[in-house]
Amino acid sequence: MTIRTGFDGPRICFLGDSFVQGLGDPEFRGWVGRVLQAAAPGATAFNLGVRRDSSAQVLRRCWPEVGARVLPGADNRLVVSVGANDAMEEAGVPRVAHHDTLANLAALLDGARKRGLGALVVGPPPVVCGGAAHLDRLRALVPAMAGLCADAGVPFVDVTGALAGDPVWTAEARAGDGAHPGAGGYGRLAELVLAGGFRAWAGPGPGPDGFGPERT
């Protein structure tokens, strides 16, 4: 009889906001469920998306929540997606300044590195009701996020521009609460994440440095 240890597949925490949570999807799968089904069906997954969370709030709760789900000796991974709420205005200013979003993301990735978790970052989806100003802030933020990830050796998936021009994403968001799409929009986001490297990243085995999948 074979006894399964629970180490067979990766343990992946998905950390972020309501887009990570999959809010608005009538199928309750969001993009996280879809990419897992397509590319990592053997993973043990934890959805740690919280509605309205900024990168600062995500950073504050990250390690108490992720740490409780890390299993010593297992292939522990972390997917982070932040920034959409940071760029929303409150009292006429963005909730989180551009440089602070980058600092928070850098702290998240540094924490993952120190704990030996392979990391991947998904860029912020556009919030349709945020209008052109919100999209402009994301367009300025995303290249800096990509550069930060490149410096850290972490894959980055840019989804902002593609979703901003996607008729399914925008139509479903407008038909809903102005921000969150339905099943079709999350399906489009999942396709971008899969095409952007999640499938390879979610494959077996951390690299020799413990930070990300083994490269062949």
Side-chain angles (χ1 to χ4, degrees):
M1 181 178 68
T2 300
I3 299 176
R4 299 181 66 86
T5 65
F7 295 173
D8 305 89
R11 294 171 68 88
I12 309 175
C13 289
F14 291 82
L15 184 71
D17 52 26
S18 55
F19 290 121
V20 173
Q21 181 187 352
L23 191 70
D25 181 3
E27 298 178 8
F28 298 98
R29 292 192 294 152
W31 67 265
V32 170
R34 287 172 168 81
V35 299
L36 288 167
Q37 184 177 20
T44 300
F46 306 94
N47 192 316
L48 304 177
V50 174
R51 188 173 191 176
R52 296 197 81 252
D53 260 15
S54 69
S55 62
Q57 292 168 310
V58 168
L59 177 59
R60 281 197 293 270
R61 66 183 173 84
C62 174
W63 299 116
E65 295 187 11
V66 173
R69 292 161 175 85
V70 166
L71 184 66
D75 179 6
N76 299 292
R77 314 265 185 108
L78 177 66
V79 176
V80 176
S81 185
V82 294
N85 285 319
D86 294 30
M88 291 295 288
E89 286 190 1
E90 284 187 349
V93 296
R95 288 183 59 196
V96 180
H98 179 112
H99 64 276
D100 287 330
T101 300
L102 295 175
N104 293 333
L105 178 59
L108 287 164
L109 297 182
D110 188 56
R113 179 187 60 79
K114 290 177 178 176
R115 292 166 174 81
L117 274 68
L120 179 144
V121 176
V122 175
V127 178
V128 173
C129 64
H134 179 268
L135 182 58
D136 286 345
R137 284 191 285 272
L138 291 190
R139 289 190 189 278
L141 178 64
V142 164
M145 295 177 78
L148 188 157
C149 289
D151 290 343
V154 172
F156 178 81
V157 184
D158 182 359
V159 303
T160 305
L163 291 177
D166 188 285
V168 175
W169 178 274
T170 54
E172 288 188 350
R174 290 192 179 107
D177 61 4
H180 303 94
Y186 280 113
R188 296 296 179 90
L189 176 49
E191 290 170 4
L192 292 171
V193 175
L194 289 167
F198 180 86
R199 193 182 301 274
W201 177 84
D209 60 355
F211 196 43
E214 186 174 10
R215 294 170 176 82
T216 57

